[in-house]
């Protein structure tokens, strides 16, 4: 019984996401049919544009309804000691729905709408998810409950179909030609999709590098007959720096505390400082020896009574170390403050040579 209660929100999240996208499909087909039946004739490019606009509007409307009027997620959210909108973006509910959204647009409706739609859908999920929790915070503060959620949800879904049809029908006559809009949409899609594809490739690269390091670490522990460390959610470090998520490992009879830091953007140099912080800087600014006016620093500091090691499974092409006003190019095994920094090859090489504890200048 306890397990059922524990996993009930997870099950409902999966069901809600599936029903949401079925609802998007049904609403889209109905609105599209009504629109093309009553609207003027369009060229193939214009038809694709209108279908894309209809899908974007339908998805925004449906996503808004499913996020705002989700009684179960509202109950889960209200029970938490601290209700915040942004940390919820790492919840199963959000991530699963985001994955279903990407699959839906890439593999199911890609023939009917422009590829740029998936970008709008992803940002729609993020926006409606945060907006819903911001709204829920105001409900909790005013001690309101969710007993009207179901009625409001059904009313929203039912009114969306005639509302969207009338809107697009009127717009189609206000804008008699859309060739310019088609051209602009194509330009925007190229502008957005190319960076998105590059970002996806870089994240996949970083995840593969992390996977390779973990396999190599397990193989090393197996060969040396030492206990393999339990690293909590190592792949999350690809998306967010997590300096407190450390692990201990015994190498050559000595215990080391290690932390994994991955960098997805391999084109932007990183500079580690001896005070336990690092910052990113553009290659041009680094070449001119400029200091950024604002330092968006991140900490890699963690406490340990053992020697502290930072390992970078994925690192930029340029890594620098800074102590005071002096900056030098990083070499694996260099000391930065209380830490030794390694690439995976450097770490395992030093472990084999039993030089992990040796000073970099020795």
């Amino acid at each position: 019984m306890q397990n059922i209660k524990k996993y009930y929100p997870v099950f409902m999240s999966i069901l809600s996401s599936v029903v949401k996208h079925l609802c998007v499909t049904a609403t889209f087909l109905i609105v599209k049919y009504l629109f093309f039946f009553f609207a003027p004739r369009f060229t193939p490019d214009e038809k694709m544009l209108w279908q894309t606009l209809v899908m974007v509007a339908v998805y925004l409307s449906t996503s808004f309804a499913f996020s705002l009027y989700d009684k179960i997620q509202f109950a889960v959210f209200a029970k938490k000691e601290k209700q915040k909108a942004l940390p919820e973006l790492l919840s199963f509910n959000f991530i699963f729905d985001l994955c279903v959204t990407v699959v839906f647009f890439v593999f199911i409706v890609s023939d009917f709408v422009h590829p740029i739609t998936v970008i709008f859908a992803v940002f729609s999920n993020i926006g409606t998810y945060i907006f819903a929790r911001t709204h829920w915070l105001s409900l909790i503060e005013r001690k309101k409950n969710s007993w009207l959620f179901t009625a409001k949800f059904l009313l929203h879904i039912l009114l969306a179909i005639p509302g969207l049809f009338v809107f697009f029908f009127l717009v189609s006559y206000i804008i008699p030609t859309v060739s310019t809009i088609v051209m602009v949409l194509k330009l925007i899609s190229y502008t957005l999709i190319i960076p998105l594809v590059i970002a996806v490739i870089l994240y996949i690269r970083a995840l593969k590098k992390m996977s390779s390091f973990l396999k190599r670490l397990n193989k090393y522990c197996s060969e040396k007959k030492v206990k393999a460390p339990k690293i909590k959610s190592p792949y999350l470090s690809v998306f967010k720096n997590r300096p407190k998520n450390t692990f201990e490992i015994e190498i050559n009879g000595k215990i080391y505390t290690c932390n994994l830091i991955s960098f997805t953007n391999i084109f932007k140099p990183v500079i580690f400082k001896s005070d336990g912080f690092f910052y990113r800087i553009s290659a041009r600014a680094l070449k001119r020896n400029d200091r950024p006016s604002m330092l968006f620093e991140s900490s890699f500091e963690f406490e340990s009574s053992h020697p502290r090691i930072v390992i970078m499974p994925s690192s930029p092409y340029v890594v620098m170390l800074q102590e005071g006003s002096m900056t030098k190019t990083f070499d694996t095994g260099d000391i930065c403050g209380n830490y030794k920094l390694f690439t995976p090859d450097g770490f395992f090489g030093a472990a084999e040579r039993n030089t992990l504890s040796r000073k970099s200048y020795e």
Side-chain angles (χ1 to χ4, degrees), residues 117-153:
T117 314
V118 69
I119 300 174
F120 286 102
V122 168
F123 281 103
S124 166
N125 278 14
I126 297 172
T128 54
Y129 199 85
I130 294 174
F131 176 82
R133 278 144 185 80
T134 303
H135 177 69
W136 293 349
L137 282 172
S138 65
L139 293 182
I140 294 170
E141 290 173 358
R142 290 180 288 158
K143 298 183 179 179
K144 300 283 185 178
N145 55 40
S146 61
W147 67 280
L148 281 176
F149 272 18
T150 303
K152 290 180 178 179
F153 170 79

Side-chain angles (χ1 to χ4, degrees), residues 279-322:
Y279 63 90
R280 310 300 298 271
I281 187 172
S282 68
R284 181 182 297 179
L286 181 64
K287 189 175 181 180
R288 293 200 307 256
N289 201 26
D290 291 344
R291 291 290 298 274
S293 56
M294 293 182 64
L295 297 181
F296 295 95
E297 296 182 336
S298 297
S299 171
F300 65 93
E301 188 173 20
F302 57 90
E303 296 297 326
S304 176
S305 57
H306 305 294
R308 286 172 273 189
I309 290 176
V310 172
I311 306 169
M312 294 177 283
S314 174
S315 59
Y317 290 130
V318 178
V319 180
M320 308 288 290
L321 304 181
Q322 179 180 313

Side-chain angles (χ1 to χ4, degrees), residues 101-362:
T101 297
V102 173
V103 170
F104 176 76
F105 281 100
V106 173
F107 297 103
I108 299 177
V109 297
S110 58
D111 292 337
F112 305 101
V113 297
H114 196 277
I116 195 175
T117 314
V118 69
I119 300 174
F120 286 102
V122 168
F123 281 103
S124 166
N125 278 14
I126 297 172
T128 54
Y129 199 85
I130 294 174
F131 176 82
R133 278 144 185 80
T134 303
H135 177 69
W136 293 349
L137 282 172
S138 65
L139 293 182
I140 294 170
E141 290 173 358
R142 290 180 288 158
K143 298 183 179 179
K144 300 283 185 178
N145 55 40
S146 61
W147 67 280
L148 281 176
F149 272 18
T150 303
K152 290 180 178 179
F153 170 79
L154 292 175
L155 189 64
H156 182 105
I157 295 297
L158 291 175
L159 291 179
I161 294 175
L164 290 172
F165 161 66
V166 171
F167 171 78
F168 282 106
F169 178 75
L170 294 175
V171 169
S172 68
Y173 281 95
I174 294 172
I175 308 175
T177 177
V178 291
S179 57
T180 303
I181 300 176
V182 171
M183 182 183 67
V184 172
L185 183 64
K186 287 181 178 180
L187 181 62
I188 293 174
S189 67
Y190 296 146
T191 305
L192 293 177
I193 289 175
I194 291 174
L196 182 64
V197 169
I198 293 174
V200 169
I201 292 173
L202 291 177
Y203 273 105
I204 293 174
R205 173 187 176 276
L207 289 169
K208 289 185 68 175
K209 291 269 187 180
M210 178 64 74
S211 176
S212 175
F213 171 79
L214 295 175
K215 289 178 182 178
R216 194 171 174 183
L217 180 64
N218 288 330
K219 182 180 178 181
Y220 174 85
C221 292
S222 176
E223 290 176 350
K224 301 299 180 182
K225 294 181 171 51
V226 298
K227 185 178 179 181
K230 291 183 179 180
I231 308 174
K232 184 179 178 182
S233 305
Y235 292 100
L236 283 181
S237 66
V238 172
F239 303 95
K240 183 180 180 181
N241 178 36
R242 310 170 76 222
K244 294 183 180 179
N245 189 13
T246 58
F247 64 92
E248 292 185 352
I249 182 171
E250 183 178 344
I251 298 176
N252 299 316
K254 191 170 184 177
I255 297 176
Y256 298 87
T257 304
C258 304
N259 185 42
L260 302 177
I261 298 181
S262 286
F263 296 96
T264 307
N265 188 343
I266 59 177
F267 306 108
K268 195 172 186 179
V270 60
I271 298 180
F272 286 90
K273 299 166 62 182
S274 57
D275 60 0
F277 287 84
F278 67 84
Y279 63 90
R280 310 300 298 271
I281 187 172
S282 68
R284 181 182 297 179
L286 181 64
K287 189 175 181 180
R288 293 200 307 256
N289 201 26
D290 291 344
R291 291 290 298 274
S293 56
M294 293 182 64
L295 297 181
F296 295 95
E297 296 182 336
S298 297
S299 171
F300 65 93
E301 188 173 20
F302 57 90
E303 296 297 326
S304 176
S305 57
H306 305 294
R308 286 172 273 189
I309 290 176
V310 172
I311 306 169
M312 294 177 283
S314 174
S315 59
Y317 290 130
V318 178
V319 180
M320 308 288 290
L321 304 181
Q322 179 180 313
E323 186 166 357
S325 59
M326 301 296 293
T327 304
K328 69 177 288 288
T329 302
F330 162 77
D331 188 17
T332 187
D334 276 346
I335 295 174
C336 185
N338 297 318
Y339 307 85
K340 289 194 76 173
L341 276 59
F342 287 96
T343 61
D345 287 341
F347 174 75
F348 289 110
E352 290 290 345
R353 296 188 300 272
N354 195 18
T355 58
L356 281 174
S357 299
R358 191 176 68 181
K359 303 296 182 184
S360 58
Y361 48 78
E362 289 180 346

